[in-house]
Amino acid sequence: MDFSFTKKEEQFRQELRTWLEENLPEGWLAGNRELPEDEEEYSAFLRNWQKTLHEGGWAAIAWPKKYGGRDATLMEEIIYQQEMVRVKAPPLVNYVGIHMVAPTLMQIGTEEQKEEYINKILIGEEVWCQGYSEPNAGSDLAAIQTSAVKEGDKWIINGQKVWTSFGHLADRCFLLTRTSHKEKKHQGITVFLLDMKQPGVETLPIVQMDGKKEFNEVYLNDAVAYDADIVGEVDEGWKVTMALLMHERTGIGAQVFTLEQQFEDLVKLTKELHVNDQPLIKDPFVRQKMVDFYTRFRGSLLNYYRHLTKTLKDGHPGAEGSMDKLMVSELTKELFDYAVSVQGHQGVLWKKDALVDSYWQDNFLQSFGMTIGGGTSEILRNTIAERILGLPKDLGR
Ligand SMILES: Cc1cc2nc3c(=O)[nH]c(=O)nc-3n(C[C@H](O)[C@H](O)[C@H](O)COP(=O)(O)OP(=O)(O)OC[C@H]3O[C@@H](n4cnc5c(N)ncnc54)[C@H](O)[C@@H]3O)c2cc1C
């Protein structure tokens, strides 16, 4: 395979670079990347960034042109990821909408749903969240208990969701409910596109170990939805659930480009830090670790390219997304663990007190979640064993 870029692709890169230089928030490229602490200001900042991306035609380049995307080629998508990571671009507030809900609606939604939601997702008018996990249903997702009962022309929804990322900012939720109790728990599930801004929906933030509040408990007390909000068929929501999950895992796998940048940052760190007047990188054990990281991260990257090619051919992601997600999340955790440990006892210093840059400590704390959200590493290993290697089913499920 040839991984070099053509002249046309390099022009695409240059176009994006120029646009980023002109449109990133003021001071961003100079390193002033603090996001507002205040929740409303934070939300306004991120919505504004998504609006800017959309106006420049850079919000959802992989989408078909008819939905406002660019019909980007595989190589253009790779270039886009590389450039966004290079400038450490602000996060996408409507990540769930752009990378998970909209592609699923394009695949499975009704024409009315596509018409109603896809453009609002693109322009950032509506932010989405994903209402899957419950206190007693995480890995065993089919055990969900949140109920939806038909009363007249309404569906009345009651139950509790947990770990709902962006739930406090979201206008709509891709919500999993139980609509009937059948012999098999994977049956009797229905997906609704729920309006979050209604009296029956209450969100309570969960404080993470890094002090941030990025996900929530969501309480549903007689929340209301309609037939038009159902994705797919009543009681047949499991395949809809899986379609969205595949988009989620593939999206997390794409963080292999972030990992590429983080690896380069780690090399720089080991050149900056000194022990006995020698840069750390001169230490043979450190060098060995760097080679180890490099080989494994290159392996993940090449595997990601392989999977992306297959996704483009098939038109939708497959079970291989689980491999990408597993490798990237585990490697990221290991890399930040190492980066903090090479700072010795000062590695525990954080925020303004950090020895080098709180970037290392912040990402170390965040990295644990990556190996859990979107499917834990153990569950992904089960998926790979069953769906890719054809091994017997996990007896626990
Ligand atoms: C950063 C982050 C963001 C998230 N965002 C969302 C969101 O937006 N929406 C949403 O719905 N959820 C979200 N989640 C929740 C996430 O999907 C669940 O945490 C995850 O599915 C695991 O479920 P659980 O926490 O209930 O753990 P459990 O399922 O209870 O698992 C506990 C432990 O047991 C292991 N285990 C369980 N079953 C098996 C098995 N069969 N074989 C081997 N090991 C097993 C697991 O790997 C894990 O180590 C998020 C989580 C994180 C960390």
Side-chain angles (χ1 to χ4, degrees), residues 96 100 129-141 161-167 208 214-215 245 248 366 368-379 382 394 396-397:
V96 173
M100 292 153 62
C129 65
Q130 175 197 21
Y132 276 28
S133 308
E134 296 181 4
N136 291 315
S139 301
D140 187 11
L141 190 56
K161 296 288 168 181
V162 73
W163 316 121
T164 316
S165 305
F166 306 108
Q208 299 154 215
E214 287 166 337
F215 45 34
L245 262 189
E248 177 174 18
Q366 286 269 342
F368 292 83
M370 260 181 95
T371 65
I372 302 170
T376 67
S377 293
E378 291 78 14
I379 294 301
N382 280 345
D394 167 24
R397 286 189 294 162

